[in-house]
Amino acid sequence: MKTVAAGYEFAHRDDYEGRSVLPTIKVDADSRNIEQLEVVPDETRYAPRRSPGELVQLQTDGLEFNGYQA
């Protein structure tokens, strides 16, 4: 099955307007309704499905990671 779209409820401004707005978002009381979290992979449980070389090849072939258009 090929995923063609994904979404979620209770999104942030950048989810609706795109990643280009991130530099202009100011952290204030209203934007702190969800904690600021730093997520890192669990070294004992996380096993990447692609090697760094495979990821580079996918990007070279035109696949965009961590980006989207509003």
Side-chain angles (χ1 to χ4, degrees), residues 6-12 14-16 68:
Y8 42 91
E9 198 172 353
F10 305 112
H12 292 276
D14 62 301
D15 298 315
Y16 296 109
Y68 54 89

Side-chain angles (χ1 to χ4, degrees), residues 9 11 14-15 19 22-24 28 45 48 50 52-55 57 59 62 67 70:
E9 198 172 353
D14 62 301
D15 298 315
R19 297 181 70 81
L22 285 176
T24 63
D28 58 15
R45 296 181 179 180
R50 305 275 188 215
E54 288 174 311
L55 294 176
Q57 184 60 50
Q59 285 182 309

Side-chain angles (χ1 to χ4, degrees), residues 16-68:
Y16 296 109
E17 297 179 42
R19 297 181 70 81
S20 60
V21 300
L22 285 176
T24 63
I25 294 177
K26 295 180 180 172
V27 177
D28 58 15
D30 292 330
S31 65
R32 286 189 171 267
N33 56 1
I34 298 175
E35 287 184 44
Q36 302 293 326
L37 300 175
E38 180 179 339
V39 179
V40 295
D42 183 327
E43 293 179 14
T44 62
R45 296 181 179 180
Y46 175 70
R49 294 181 181 165
R50 305 275 188 215
S51 71
E54 288 174 311
L55 294 176
V56 169
Q57 184 60 50
L58 288 169
Q59 285 182 309
T60 302
D61 292 343
L63 184 62
E64 183 181 352
F65 297 103
N66 299 321
Y68 54 89

